[in-house]
């Protein structure tokens, strides 16, 4: 379109030329297209990485499978624009360039799928799309909605084009509708959904029997979802990739955690990467954005400190799934959540011990001070109750002193970690005249954390550990499942080292 063709709308030749350049760029690349049809959307560095992968998917469709890729997984944190870019902008771009393509978009519930397909429909029916591919462009056969396409969920392009888009909830059928582009976005509602083996089987059966059978010759599949579980939809595809079967689909994976991994958290070799694939985990050998360790995926919107604040208020389990895309299984390396029983109250007459794991002198602001009550009954059952967990030392010590003089802790035996700076903490307590009647002693750990945890592991596996119901339990079990590789271990330390003192109290036949 010549620049003078735009003068009728009252803009200067220079502005008209800039508009023509924007339009030409929008026709050629999905990110430029997104910035054109969504003037509020800007492709930052993380979007540029995704955009290049999407262009490889487009190239596969455009060349009849001779170039590009046909399988893609995108792992990104929430609120970083993956659904907008992959679910809305990309399908509209593909339909503009290849208007005979059929697109299926699926999410865990049909209403979300319908909302996305409506967004794509709105792009295709908008003036900016028309500037590129419709009646306001120079294309030979303009791309526009069919007059019969009144549905927001299922719609088609007008002849002579044969393309269109439908939206479906996971589990819904797509009988009679084939596709060249299939996008799966969040097939699980939440963690509880993904933790259910029945739910994971349902999603996998749907993907195998519905999604995988919709392909018509050329078939591009894009999967993006929060990695709630190593055995989720993506996890099963990753495990298959790690197998020796040469016919298994090999996905290009964009692993984009909120904060870039350090060298020790990346795969050191292709052999290590394959071993992790067999566990349903993707470990790249490098950061796909070229970031330094700890750098944010989107520093303009989320500086590293913003993610650290989020991390401080999440369980290790939730951080690993939502922001790091490396799920930890309910059965961790040492502990299985199912081993622990909940009880409304503990038996009467138990002798309680409280070991305080201190963060005093440690540099990381995410470290916690923790103290948990533990006792052993006459049947060698281990009981835990009332976790005290406070980040700042001065607040923790003040709260601990209140607990020490409370009636419910009258016979409790208190143990204060005493290593390095922690010796000052012990002196603070032992020299406090208000605690003169409190049984307090110091202790320097004589084994590593994993060795100390073995006795709790043995008791728990035997079904001999009971947790007295309270709001502390969820975080405690999450840290146990992540131990010993989790971000925090303060709750595990106070539980295991407190148990050592309870065992030495001689009330059971357990031996440390």
């Amino acid at each position: 379109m010549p620049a003078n063709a735009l003068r009728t709308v009252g803009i200067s030749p220079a502005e008209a030329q800039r508009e023509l350049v924007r339009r030409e760029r929008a026709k050629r690349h999905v990110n430029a297209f997104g910035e054109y049809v969504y003037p509020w959307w800007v492709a930052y560095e993380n979007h540029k990485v995704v955009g290049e992968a999407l262009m490889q998917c487009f190239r596969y469709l455009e060349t009849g499978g001779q170039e590009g890729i046909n399988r893609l997984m995108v792992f990104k944190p929430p609120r970083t624009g993956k659904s907008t870019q992959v679910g809305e902008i990309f399908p509209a771009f593909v339909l503009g360039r290849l208007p005979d393509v059929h697109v299926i978009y699926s999410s865990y519930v049909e209403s979300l799928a319908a909302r996305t397909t409506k967004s794509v429909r709105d792009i295709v029916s908008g003036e900016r799309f028309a500037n590129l591919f419709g009646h306001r462009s120079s294309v030979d056969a303009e791309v526009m909605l069919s007059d019969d396409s009144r549905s927001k969920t299922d719609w088609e392009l007008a002849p002579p084009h044969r393309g269109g888009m439908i939206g479906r909830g996971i589990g819904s059928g797509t009988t009679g509708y084939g596709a060249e582009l299939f996008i799966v976005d969040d097939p699980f509602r939440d963690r509880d959904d993904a933790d259910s083996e029945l739910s994971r089987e349902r999603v996998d059966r749907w993907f195998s029997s519905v999604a995988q059978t919709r392909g018509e010759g050329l078939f591009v599949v894009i999967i993006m979802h929060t990695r709630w579980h190593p055995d989720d939809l993506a996890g099963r595809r990753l495990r298959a990739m790690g197998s020796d079967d040469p016919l298994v689909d090999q996905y290009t994976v964009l692993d984009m955690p909120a904060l870039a991994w350090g060298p020790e958290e990346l795969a050191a070799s292709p052999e290590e990467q394959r071993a992790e694939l067999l566990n349903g985990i993707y470990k790249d050998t490098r950061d796909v954005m070229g970031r330094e360790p700890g750098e944010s995926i989107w520093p303009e919107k989320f500086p590293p400190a913003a993610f650290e604040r989020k991390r401080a208020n999440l369980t290790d389990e939730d951080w690993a799934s939502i922001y790091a895309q490396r799920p930890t299984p309910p059965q961790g390396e040492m502990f299985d959540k199912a081993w622990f029983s909940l009880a409304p109250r503990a038996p009467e007459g138990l002798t309680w011990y409280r070991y305080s794991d201190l963060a005093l002198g440690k540099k990381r602001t995410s470290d916690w001070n923790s103290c948990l009550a533990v006792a052993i009954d006459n049947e060698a059952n281990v009981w835990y109750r009332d976790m005290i967990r406070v980040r700042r030392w001065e607040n923790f010590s003040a709260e601990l002193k209140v607990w020490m003089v409370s009636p419910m802790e009258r016979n409790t035996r208190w143990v204060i970690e005493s290593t390095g700076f922690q010796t000052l903490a012990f002196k603070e307590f032992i020299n406090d005249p208000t605690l003169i009647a409190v049984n307090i002693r110091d202790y320097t750990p004589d084994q590593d954390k994993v060795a100390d945890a073995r006795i709790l592991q043995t008791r728990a596996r035997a079904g001999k550990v009971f947790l007295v119901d309270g709001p502390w339990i969820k975080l405690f079990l999450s840290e146990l499942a992540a131990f010993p590789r989790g971000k925090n271990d303060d709750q595990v330390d106070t539980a295991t080292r407190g148990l050592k003192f309870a065992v030495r109290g001689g009330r059971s036949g357990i031996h440390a």
Side-chain angles (χ1 to χ4, degrees):
M1 180 184 294
N4 60 13
L6 295 177
R7 293 182 185 177
T8 57
V9 296
I11 61 178
S12 69
E15 290 173 325
Q17 186 61 42
R18 285 193 293 270
E19 171 65 13
L20 287 175
V21 170
R22 284 194 294 267
R23 292 185 186 185
E24 286 303 311
R25 289 175 176 171
K27 292 177 184 179
R28 296 176 185 177
H29 198 285
V30 63
N31 284 350
F33 173 82
E35 291 179 333
Y36 186 79
V37 297
Y38 280 163
W40 48 267
W41 189 79
V42 177
Y44 287 91
E45 192 59 35
N46 71 91
H47 306 111
K48 291 176 183 177
V49 172
V50 176
E52 291 307 313
L54 293 176
M55 287 304 297
Q56 288 298 305
C57 292
F58 169 77
R59 188 65 179 155
Y60 183 87
L61 294 170
E62 183 184 41
T63 64
Q66 298 302 305
E67 301 176 22
I69 60 175
N70 68 340
R71 296 292 185 270
L72 175 66
M73 292 187 197
V74 181
F75 301 148
K76 293 179 69 183
R79 313 309 301 167
T80 54
K82 62 182 182 295
S83 293
T84 298
Q85 185 178 18
V86 181
E88 298 177 17
I89 293 172
F90 183 58
F93 175 78
V94 170
L95 290 171
R97 290 284 302 271
L98 304 172
D100 289 335
V101 165
H102 299 86
V103 183
I104 299 177
Y105 177 92
S106 293
S107 190
Y108 67 85
V109 66
E110 191 136 342
S111 60
L112 291 180
R115 186 169 66 189
T116 298
T117 53
K118 178 184 181 298
S119 295
V120 180
R121 174 195 167 102
D122 290 344
I123 293 175
V124 173
S125 61
E127 289 188 1
R128 288 178 173 267
F129 186 89
N131 289 342
L132 305 176
F133 306 113
H135 67 279
R136 299 161 64 95
S137 71
S138 58
V139 297
D140 294 331
E142 60 190 60
V143 181
M144 56 187 297
L145 288 175
S146 168
D147 291 337
D148 297 331
S149 292
R150 297 183 176 86
S151 171
K152 297 176 182 178
T153 304
D154 303 1
W155 47 267
E156 298 176 346
L157 299 177
H161 307 302
R162 297 179 289 111
M165 186 173 186
I166 69 171
R168 290 290 183 271
I170 300 299
S172 301
T174 57
T175 302
Y177 196 93
E180 291 79 27
L181 174 59
F182 203 116
I183 300 173
V184 182
D185 185 2
D186 278 333
F188 299 99
R189 182 182 299 272
D190 50 27
R191 179 178 298 284
D192 289 341
D193 191 22
D195 278 348
S196 165
E197 186 174 357
L198 288 176
S199 178
R200 295 197 303 274
E201 286 293 335
R202 173 182 60 84
V203 170
D204 198 63
R205 284 197 305 271
W206 168 84
F207 185 79
S208 297
S209 63
V210 176
Q212 293 281 59
T213 62
R214 295 299 94 195
E216 294 186 347
L218 297 176
F219 190 41
V220 172
V221 178
I222 302 176
I223 297 174
M224 51 181 179
H225 66 78
T226 299
R227 294 299 320 278
W228 293 116
H229 197 287
D231 189 46
D232 56 23
L233 179 66
R236 294 191 180 195
R237 310 281 83 72
L238 293 173
R239 286 210 310 273
M241 287 168 57
S243 71
D244 295 324
D245 189 344
L247 300 180
V248 164
D249 286 341
Q250 295 296 314
Y251 283 77
T252 296
V253 181
L254 297 184
D255 178 40
M256 305 173 71
L259 299 174
W261 298 113
E264 71 283 357
E265 296 164 314
L266 296 169
S269 66
E271 291 74 23
E272 181 184 346
Q273 186 176 50
R274 182 173 179 273
E276 293 290 352
L277 289 176
L278 293 172
N279 293 323
I281 302 296
Y282 186 80
K283 271 192 176 182
D284 212 331
T285 57
R286 61 183 179 84
D287 184 79
V288 295
M289 292 177 59
R291 295 174 291 172
E292 293 297 319
E295 288 187 352
S296 171
I297 186 175
W298 195 351
E300 297 85 356
K301 184 175 182 180
F302 299 111
F307 281 126
E308 290 292 357
R309 282 194 294 272
K310 289 179 182 293
R311 185 172 188 173
N313 290 283
L314 292 173
T315 65
D316 286 343
E317 188 178 28
D318 282 344
W319 172 265
S321 290
I322 300 171
Y323 290 95
Q325 306 301 323
R326 287 189 188 170
T328 56
Q331 180 174 344
E333 205 168 299
M334 288 192 66
F335 297 99
D336 186 335
K337 292 181 180 180
W339 295 345
F340 297 83
S341 301
L342 303 185
R345 63 187 63 84
E348 298 291 333
L350 299 181
T351 299
W352 293 94
Y353 295 79
R354 278 188 175 273
Y355 178 90
S356 295
D357 180 78
L358 306 182
L360 190 64
K362 300 176 183 178
K363 295 181 179 180
R364 290 184 303 161
T365 58
S366 60
D367 285 323
W368 294 80
N369 303 278
S370 296
C371 185
L372 180 64
V374 57
I376 301 172
D377 66 21
N378 291 328
E379 295 179 354
N381 294 312
V382 179
W383 292 83
Y384 287 109
R385 64 167 174 82
D386 299 319
M387 176 75 74
I388 305 168
R389 192 170 190 244
V390 180
R391 194 181 298 279
R392 295 177 63 86
W393 161 249
E394 57 269 27
N395 296 335
F396 177 73
S397 62
E399 185 166 342
L400 209 59
K401 290 175 183 179
V402 172
W403 280 82
M404 284 179 169
V405 297
S406 69
M408 69 177 297
E409 304 286 357
R410 181 172 293 114
N411 297 315
T412 297
R413 302 175 185 184
W414 298 81
V415 184
I416 307 297
E417 181 182 0
S418 182
T419 304
F421 284 103
Q422 283 86 346
T423 58
L424 299 176
F426 173 71
K427 290 180 180 179
E428 177 182 332
F429 284 99
I430 204 68
N431 293 327
D432 190 328
T434 65
L435 306 178
I436 191 69
V438 179
N439 186 335
I440 308 174
R441 62 159 294 180
D442 63 334
Y443 172 70
T444 300
D446 54 3
Q447 295 188 92
D448 64 46
K449 297 172 183 291
V450 174
D452 281 335
R454 296 295 181 195
I455 184 173
L456 175 57
Q457 182 189 44
T458 301
R459 290 284 97 191
R461 186 187 287 117
K464 303 285 284 182
V465 179
F466 295 83
L467 310 179
V468 178
D469 196 21
W472 60 276
I473 291 177
K474 180 179 178 181
L475 285 170
F476 177 63
L477 291 178
S478 174
E479 188 174 298
L480 282 171
F483 185 81
R485 299 188 183 187
K487 172 172 66 76
N488 295 309
D489 54 22
D490 53 283
Q491 296 179 92
V492 178
D493 286 350
T494 182
T496 57
R497 289 173 175 167
L499 178 57
K500 286 178 65 173
F501 281 91
V503 168
R504 293 171 182 175
R507 294 288 303 274
S508 73
I510 303 174
H511 297 285

